[in-house]
Amino acid sequence: MRACDVGDVIMGRLVAAYGAPQAVKAIRSRTLPPEFVAQEAQQERPPDLTTRLHTWYARLAAANPAADLAAGTGSGARLIIPGDPEWPTQLDQLGPSRPLALWVHGDADLRFSCLKSVSIVGARAATPYGSHTAAEFGVGLGESGWTVVSGGAFGVDGAAHRGALAAGAPTVAVLACGVDVCYPSNHETLFAAIKEQGVVISECPPGVHPTRARFLIRNRLIAALSRGTVVVEAAIRSGALNTATHALSLNRHLGAVPGPITSSMSAGCHKLLRERKAVCITSPEDMIDLVGVMGEDLAPHVRAPAVPRDRLNEPTKKVLDAVPARGGAGPASIAVAAGVTLDAALSALGGLAAAGYIERTPRGWRLRKQTTSYRKAPDTLALQPPPTPEPDPTELPPPPDDLLHAGYEG
């Protein structure tokens, strides 16, 4: 982990082929196995193994693994490797870019927490709409028994973590620095709460500070740990879209929350939807429906509001549509306009009149006017308006008298 950069696929292939102890032995002897060299030479873009080996050797010579273990343990973190009971096996789908190990700090079990999890990602400079939506998704997913995975950054990430914590659910923060480094520093309280209820993880050794490259590389872990990713807000050039790309490459479900078409922070989400790379997500239930078990995690079917007219049968609806709104019409003309028999029209007219839909006039049947009643002020108020209070110098001046009493003059 000290010898190479995070996500180094060449080191990943070396460890996968020969194991970590043999990889370290090869680096210290500055001699890679001939079979490995021949295999790397067949890559589409053969790497410069000599330069890479010298870099690994220099970094490994300056490393102190015992001090890393002591620092990690001293901060309360633990180191897990592939094959440990807590190791999330879905990370194996990353292939050569699978992390060599993970530092985990928190009371929750990482593997168990990620069995039912959703990644929520978005812009750091989130709008109030994005922060509110992310928090609502965090609460909704948490209350439904789903773990929220995110990056612990400002904006959407932080709001999603807080929503999950508010629901009493575990949440996983994937950092681009060591688990003993608080970045951003203003999230010290948030990370402390996550460690009590969930876990903070990183593939960076203790003391490592974040860089732009590490942020982009860690996004593959956010996408791989969960069943699916939802992008709440993202600009056209955004790290959240990088996470979405990783999710698609891993055949994970991808959702995007639509936003105002005038908001640049939603332009990336709209691009994913327009290119049909993501599913439109408008609620936590939609996301659970997307990533959940077929037949068990279905989102409720959205129905239009029911109105009393919906309970009428078809002949009665036809008769009601044929009744004029003004004037009036006789039963015979209504029957012809509705396309029903006279007996059916007479029967429907009686029922509609009893239900208050229509009324009889000297000229025939017509629709009953729906009046809206307003509470009328007592006459004493019109005759004696309430006294105007003394003006407060800290408040705006009152409106003119003609506007103040306009309601009473009518």
Side-chain angles (χ1 to χ4, degrees):
M1 297 174 72
R2 282 290 186 181
C4 65
D5 293 323
V6 292
D8 189 333
V9 295
I10 301 177
M11 178 67 80
R13 287 194 288 263
L14 179 63
V15 172
Y18 301 97
Q22 291 298 322
V24 171
K25 184 177 179 180
I27 294 171
R28 285 176 174 166
S29 65
R30 296 190 183 185
T31 304
L32 294 175
E35 302 85 0
F36 180 77
V37 175
Q39 179 182 356
E40 290 298 311
Q42 297 176 0
Q43 297 292 332
E44 183 178 354
R45 293 183 178 180
D48 186 353
L49 292 181
T50 302
T51 303
R52 188 67 61 95
L53 183 59
H54 289 330
T55 302
W56 289 346
Y57 177 82
R59 290 181 176 180
L60 189 59
N64 189 342
D68 286 342
L69 290 172
T73 304
S75 66
R78 57 191 181 273
L79 183 68
I80 63 173
I81 62 174
D84 284 347
E86 195 177 356
W87 182 263
T89 55
Q90 59 266 38
L91 292 179
D92 298 342
Q93 299 178 18
L94 290 171
S97 65
R98 182 188 68 174
L100 300 173
L102 287 175
W103 288 96
V104 182
H105 193 179
D107 296 336
D109 184 277
L110 177 60
R111 181 176 182 274
F112 180 77
S113 299
C114 294
L115 290 178
K116 287 181 60 177
S117 61
V118 170
S119 296
I120 301 179
V121 296
R124 286 179 173 82
T127 65
Y129 164 79
S131 298
H132 174 79
T133 302
E136 289 289 333
F137 272 64
V139 172
L141 291 168
E143 290 179 344
S144 300
W146 289 78
T147 299
V148 171
V149 180
S150 196
F154 287 129
V156 168
D157 290 10
H161 287 306
R162 293 187 181 94
L165 293 173
T171 181
V172 178
V174 185
L175 304 185
C177 54
V179 293
D180 59 338
V181 177
C182 183
Y183 184 88
S185 58
N186 290 345
H187 277 182
E188 182 177 0
T189 304
L190 174 61
F191 290 154
I194 293 176
K195 292 172 184 177
E196 293 180 358
Q197 201 164 303
V199 287
V200 174
I201 70 171
S202 175
E203 58 182 321
C204 298
V208 172
H209 290 271
T211 62
R212 177 179 176 81
R214 293 190 181 112
F215 277 114
L216 294 176
I217 295 172
R218 70 88 192 259
N219 288 341
R220 77 193 195 286
L221 301 183
I222 297 177
L225 283 171
S226 60
R227 295 190 187 180
T229 298
V230 55
V231 183
V232 176
E233 272 191 329
I236 291 295
R237 184 181 175 87
S238 170
L241 295 186
N242 177 260
T243 307
T245 301
H246 285 297
L248 292 173
S249 66
L250 292 169
N251 292 322
R252 298 290 198 272
H253 296 289
L254 180 62
V257 178
I261 61 174
T262 55
S263 173
S264 61
M265 286 295 101
S266 293
C269 297
H270 298 159
K271 183 174 184 291
L272 291 174
L273 295 173
R274 184 174 64 254
E275 296 176 352
R276 300 184 180 182
K277 293 180 179 179
V279 177
C280 181
I281 300 295
T282 60
S283 67
E285 291 77 14
D286 287 349
M287 194 61 195
I288 295 174
D289 181 273
L290 180 64
V291 302
V293 179
M294 185 178 298
E296 295 183 8
D297 298 311
L298 294 177
H301 184 65
V302 180
R303 296 181 178 272
V307 296
R309 183 180 179 135
D310 296 337
R311 292 192 293 267
L312 301 177
N313 56 37
E314 288 302 319
T316 305
K317 289 180 182 179
K318 292 181 179 180
V319 172
L320 181 59
D321 290 337
V323 176
R326 296 180 180 179
S333 60
I334 292 175
V336 173
V340 298
T341 63
L342 180 59
D343 292 340
L346 291 172
S347 176
L349 289 171
L352 291 172
Y357 287 96
I358 60 177
E359 60 185 359
R360 187 192 293 273
T361 67
R363 300 179 60 182
W365 293 100
R366 72 177 182 186
L367 296 178
R368 186 175 183 180
K369 296 181 180 179
Q370 301 295 328
T371 59
T372 304
S373 60
Y374 298 93
R375 183 180 298 177
K376 183 179 180 181
D379 294 338
T380 55
L381 291 180
L383 298 176
Q384 299 178 359
T388 304
E390 292 295 328
D392 189 342
T394 63
E395 297 181 353
L396 295 175
D401 292 341
D402 57 342
L403 295 180
L404 184 64
H405 302 299
Y408 302 112
E409 293 176 358

